[in-house]
Amino acid sequence: MHDMIYLDNGATTFPKPEVVYQQMDTFYRQHGVNPGRSGYDMCLAAGSIVEETRKLLTRFFNGTDPDRLVFGYNATDALNQAIFGLLQPGDHAITTSLEHNSVLRPLYHLSRDSRVEVDHVPFDNKGFVSPDDIARRFKKNTRLVAVNHASNVIGTIQDIGAIGKLCRERDIPLLVDASQSAGKIPIDLQRMNLDVIAFTGHKSLMGPMGIGGLYVREGLDIRHTRAGGTGVRSAQRAHLDEYPYRLEYGTPNLLGIAGLNAGVKWLQEQGMDTIERREMQLLEMLRDGLRRIDGVTLHCQDDLANHIGVLSFNVEGIEAAEVGTLLDVDHNIACRTGLHCAPMVHEQLGTDKIHGSVRFGLGPFTTESDIQKAVAAVEEIAALRATMAAARKG
Ligand SMILES: Cc1ncc(COP(=O)(O)O)c(C=O)c1O
């Protein structure tokens, strides 16, 4: 297990920085009680890490009001809250073919069940969505634009600043899925004119699984689509309208918040740009190594500007899942194969017909040696093509 080369950081970063494990263990042993519900010391300490982490993340994304940073369980949970809480029957929404199912499926359900009309804007052959293509689809009843900041399949980063400007001019809320980008590239809510961002803690923010959330800009409100305990004003019959209670329900994931707190601080100490620069050098090395191999097709990797360290490829004549198994069994390399919960990306690339692609996702702990071994492994697998084809025929 320790010799494993982990190239599945697009799914979740692994390992976490040591301080994350330590903080989770220590904090939960010392302060693991229900935060914000009572006045005893332990409870106040539990409450203060929640509030401190709200402030930390609000500063991290350059928001204006920490109360508008609400915690949920992951990006899927956060995106569902935003999509169901912003759209109503008769509304029109615009999204892209780069989306994850955590955006596609809530929108699909609304279109199927609630008369919400949804437009999907395709990406160009380099993997980018044109902001003007989005603006061309604006209608009188457009009430939401939802865009994946960085693709979990091909790694391209969308120009959310340009999209934000166009949406703000028309007063249409822009929801950004920052699952892959938060912790990898800077996100500035104010400068980029973003209305809502959804983040997940367990990817590049370096926290554990089960913690994520939303930041909702001041002046925009999301309807609460759930209701429950908030620990304050319990006599009130209806769920509270004020933030953060408006979009938080029940006991929070305190352990997750403590770990996320340590993850974000670690990231800031290391310097997000330092990590990213190194990761992009490794990505270039990986891309260059893979594209020299006969039979390997890379998707949207010709120019690595505006990319994160995520790369998809196929080996001609061998199914992606089979390549994944060979990488795992013969080379001890962990990666992800298939459609990566983003079916429309594959429909556009044409890889849906061959059951998806192989994805390598780099992380802060990826090394040059990992990349060299991965390239050598793919080379060996690609060299098996002729033998495998003959075996299938025979
Ligand atoms: C682009 C994108 N959006 C949303 C998600 C969902 O994140 P989570 O599983 O943490 O809810 C992912 C996770 O892979 C993702 O890559």
Side-chain angles (χ1 to χ4, degrees), residues 201-215:
H202 66 96
K203 297 188 196 268
S204 295
L205 291 172
M206 304 312 289
M209 296 178 186
I211 186 69
L214 287 173
Y215 183 90

Side-chain angles (χ1 to χ4, degrees), residues 10-11 74-76 79 100 102 148 150 152 177 179-180 200 202-203:
N74 47 42
T76 306
L79 288 160
H100 189 272
S102 52
N148 186 359
N152 57 312
D177 173 3
S179 299
Q180 292 288 337
T200 198
H202 66 96
K203 297 188 196 268

Side-chain angles (χ1 to χ4, degrees), residues 96 173 187 214 226 228 238 345 352 368 388-389:
T96 81
I187 296 175
L214 287 173
R226 305 169 193 164
V345 179
D352 57 327
E368 214 172 296
M388 289 174 82

Side-chain angles (χ1 to χ4, degrees), residues 211-247:
I211 186 69
L214 287 173
Y215 183 90
V216 185
R217 81 154 161 83
E218 288 179 82
L220 177 76
D221 283 327
I222 293 179
R223 288 187 316 278
H224 35 73
T225 43
R226 305 169 193 164
T230 48
V232 296
R233 279 186 282 302
S234 297
Q236 185 174 312
R237 282 286 180 267
H239 193 83
L240 306 189
D241 280 335
E242 75 229 50
Y243 294 87
Y245 310 111
R246 185 183 183 104
L247 299 175

